[in-house]
Amino acid sequence: GPCTDRIYKADLAVENILDAAASNGKPAAQSTFATMHRQPTPATVATAEQKTGALSSAQVEAITAKLDAARDADDKGDSAACEKALNEVDRMLKP
């Protein structure tokens, strides 16, 4: 799609934030889902971080929703909607 590269970069930015939160957060038990040999997505990592208290549920839901909207718009070839969603993700990721 028209903004696949930006979605990839946004995913990396989210992963970096989640990694930082994970290194500073308290450990949690490994879920059954984690043992199923699947690569985690930023959304599943964010959900796990939320459960340990590293991120609020509002942050997780907002970031996940905007990334999903960007992917949907990208799949439809709607670069304006994709860029708008990614700009909102960028805004949410800034401290």
Side-chain angles (χ1 to χ4, degrees):
C3 52
T4 302
D5 289 339
R6 268 202 73 200
I7 292 171
Y8 176 73
K9 289 176 184 173
D11 278 338
L12 289 178
V14 170
E15 287 180 35
N16 287 336
I17 289 171
L18 296 175
D19 286 345
S23 66
N24 293 326
K26 60 185 177 201
Q30 186 172 0
S31 71
T32 303
F33 181 78
T35 63
M36 299 176 91
H37 305 291
R38 295 186 179 127
Q39 185 68 24
T41 65
T44 58
V45 173
T47 301
E49 290 297 331
Q50 177 211 341
K51 288 179 182 176
T52 65
L55 294 173
S56 73
S57 60
Q59 289 170 311
V60 171
E61 290 174 22
I63 291 169
T64 301
K66 292 300 176 187
L67 284 172
D68 288 345
R71 286 186 191 95
D72 185 52
D74 192 52
D75 289 344
K76 294 176 182 174
D78 186 347
S79 63
C82 183
E83 290 294 329
K84 180 181 177 192
L86 289 172
N87 287 338
E88 292 178 25
V89 169
D90 289 343
R91 183 181 49 79
M92 288 187 275
L93 295 178
K94 297 200 190 256

